[in-house]
Amino acid sequence: MKKTVLVSGGAGFIGSHVSVELAQAGYDVLIADNMSNCDETNYNGVCKILGYAPEFVKMDFCDSEAVDRLFAGHKIDAVIHFAAYKAVGESVAQPLMYYRNNLLSFMNVIEAARKNGGCNVLFSSSATVYGEAEDLPVTEKTGRKPSTSPYGNTKQISEDILRDCVKAYPEIKGIALRYFNPIGAHPSALIGELPRGVPNNLVPFITQTAIGKRECLSIFGKDYPTEDGTCLRDYIDVVDLAKAHVCAVTRMIEGKMKADYEIYNIGTGRPVSVLELVNSFEKVNSLKLNYKFVDRRPGDVVSIYGSPALANEELGWKAERSVEETLAAAWAWEKALAGKN
Ligand code: WQD
C-alpha cells in the first residue's frame, strides 16, 4: 500500500520540486495550497513531469475546519509543511500577517494530525535561525540567535512548537530541515522559482536581469570582510534539497528516527560569495550580466554556511549538483518562462 504524503504549500517553488521527488520515489502525493503566493505554473509543471495530476486541494491552512477536513478525508502518513510567507523585508513591515499566517497554519496542521491518529511532521525551517554565527560552518548544535525579522522568528517559534508537541503527543514525530539558500530549477525547465513582483532573492534577480526583465542587478555591499567584499552563502540546488525531504520522510515513515524530534542542516557546506555566483552565472551561460555595487542591505549577515555532515550520515543524503549546473538550470527556467509569456 503506497504511503501518502501531504505537501502543504506544494504548488510553490520548493513544494513543487519536493512533490516531484516524492512521487518519483513511490509516494502518493497530496498537494494543498491556497495559491496566495503562486499561480498554477508549477503545479501544471509537476503534472507534466509526472505524466499524471497528483491530487490537489485549494485551501488555506489558517482555516482549521478545512485542515481538519483534509486530514479526516485522507490517510496521511506524513505531512511536509511549506505553507508560509517567506519574504524577510515584508515580514518586518507586516509582522502580524507573518505571525498569524505562519504560526496558525502550522498549529492547525499539528492539531489536525493529532485528531486523526497522529502522523510524521516534517517542517521547512531555515538557516536564518542561526543569525550571524560566530563559528562557521554552523552545525545543528550551533545555538540559534534572536532573529532579525518576524519571518526568521516564525521559523524559530515553529521549530519550538514542533519540539514541544512531539514531547506532549506520542503520536506526533518531527523533523525540522534547516535550508540554507535554495536556488535553481528542475532540469526539465517545467518548474522553478516564481517570485511575485520584484524578486527579493539573488538568483531570480540575476536571471530576470539576464532575460531583460530587470535593468540591472544591484549587489548589496562590496565592503564586507570577505575575500571579494561580498557576502557568503551556502547555495543549495532545489532538486538536491527536494531529495533531502524524501530521505527525511522515509526515515520517519520507516521508523528509523533515533529521537522523536530531529533537526538537520540541508546545505552543501561550501560558502560562495555573491560575486562568485554572478561570475559563475555569466561563465556557465556564456553571457554578460549588467550589475553594479550598491550599499549593504540592512539585516544581511556577512556569512552563513552549514555543515551537512549529520544529514549525510543520518539521512544518507548529500548535495550532488554543482553551482554551475544549478545556475544553468535556473537560466533555462527563466528562458522557458519568457517563451511562455
Ligand atoms: C543572498 C545574498 C544579499 C538580492 C533569505 C532568507 C532565507 C531564505 C532565502 C527564503 C545576500 C545578496 C540579494 C539582490 C544582492 N528564505 N543580494 N542583490 O537573504 O541570504 O536568505 O532568502 O527563501 O531564510 O533569509 O537570500 O537571496 O535575498 O540574498 O546582492 O538583488 O545576495 O545581500 O548577500 P538571504 P537572498
Side-chain angles (χ1 to χ4, degrees):
M1 175 77 172
K2 273 190 168 186
K3 299 291 186 186
T4 299
V5 181
L6 165 62
V7 184
S8 80
F13 171 40
I14 299 171
S16 54
H17 288 78
V18 169
S19 298
V20 165
E21 297 306 321
L22 283 167
Q24 291 180 338
Y27 290 102
D28 264 345
V29 176
L30 170 59
I31 295 175
D33 202 308
N34 68 1
M35 307 306 283
S36 68
N37 221 5
C38 64
D39 61 22
E40 295 75 22
T41 303
N42 273 341
Y43 177 69
N44 293 339
V46 168
C47 298
K48 287 193 191 109
I49 293 167
L50 296 179
Y52 68 91
E55 186 179 353
F56 173 79
V57 177
K58 184 176 180 185
M59 58 173 286
D60 188 337
F61 281 84
C62 288
D63 174 352
S64 61
E65 288 173 10
V67 182
D68 287 349
R69 282 196 301 274
L70 188 71
F71 274 81
H74 297 81
K75 186 185 176 319
I76 293 169
D77 298 289
V79 52
I80 306 182
H81 186 65
F82 291 107
Y85 298 145
K86 62 158 205 166
V88 175
E90 182 185 54
S91 77
V92 174
Q94 304 193 58
L96 285 178
M97 184 176 95
Y98 270 69
Y99 285 116
R100 181 179 297 113
N101 183 66
N102 292 8
L103 301 181
L104 182 58
S105 60
F106 191 38
M107 289 188 282
N108 285 343
V109 163
I110 296 175
E111 186 67 72
R114 269 198 71 219
K115 285 183 201 165
N116 289 275
C119 87
N120 298 292
V121 180
L122 178 54
F123 175 62
S124 163
S125 191
S126 166
T128 199
V129 304
Y130 294 115
E132 185 89 73
E134 279 87 29
D135 301 321
L136 291 168
V138 292
T139 73
E140 291 79 0
K141 293 195 179 346
T142 301
R144 299 182 313 185
K145 285 272 181 71
S147 179
T148 55
S149 73
Y151 156 78
N153 207 20
T154 64
K155 291 298 183 186
Q156 292 197 19
I157 298 168
S158 295
E159 286 189 356
D160 295 346
I161 288 171
L162 183 53
R163 177 203 61 205
D164 295 344
C165 288
V166 161
K167 269 190 215 142
Y169 314 128
E171 67 273 31
I172 299 289
K173 302 286 178 265
I175 289 181
L177 297 183
R178 289 174 177 167
Y179 317 154
F180 287 78
N181 287 61
I183 62 170
H186 193 266
S188 65
L190 289 169
I191 55 177
E193 197 161 3
L194 274 168
R196 294 211 138 169
V198 179
N200 294 298
N201 295 127
L202 177 62
V203 170
F205 207 108
I206 288 175
T207 57
Q208 288 190 10
T209 302
I211 203 90
K213 273 180 83 170
R214 306 289 160 204
E215 177 60 35
C216 175
L217 167 73
S218 295
I219 295 182
F220 300 135
K222 179 76 168 72
D223 59 350
Y224 283 102
T226 61
E227 205 170 307
D228 63 20
T230 65
C231 293
L232 296 176
R233 293 291 183 275
D234 183 336
Y235 294 98
I236 172 87
D237 181 280
V238 65
V239 176
D240 278 337
L241 176 64
K243 290 177 186 294
H245 288 74
V246 179
C247 294
V249 159
T250 303
R251 178 182 177 85
M252 292 200 277
I253 286 178
E254 292 182 354
K256 301 238 172 75
M257 294 175 75
K258 293 179 178 168
D260 290 341
Y261 176 58
E262 296 179 343
I263 297 172
Y264 294 100
N265 282 344
I266 302 300
T268 67
R270 285 191 313 268
V272 173
S273 79
V274 176
L275 192 53
E276 283 171 331
L277 200 88
V278 168
N279 293 337
S280 295
F281 182 82
E282 290 181 316
K283 186 163 178 244
V284 76
N285 296 310
S286 308
L287 54 80
K288 277 309 285 169
L289 198 68
N290 186 21
Y291 64 87
K292 62 185 177 184
F293 296 101
V294 299
D295 292 341
R296 296 181 176 191
R297 179 172 69 173
D300 275 337
V301 298
V302 187
S303 173
I304 177 78
Y305 55 96
S307 162
L310 191 65
N312 300 159
E313 175 66 28
E314 292 297 331
L315 298 183
W317 168 88
K318 193 170 171 56
E320 292 162 356
R321 285 167 171 72
S322 66
V323 168
E324 291 73 21
E325 284 173 282
T326 303
L327 294 173
W331 180 226
W333 165 245
E334 190 67 58
K335 287 188 289 185
L337 280 179
K340 278 181 196 151
N341 303 335

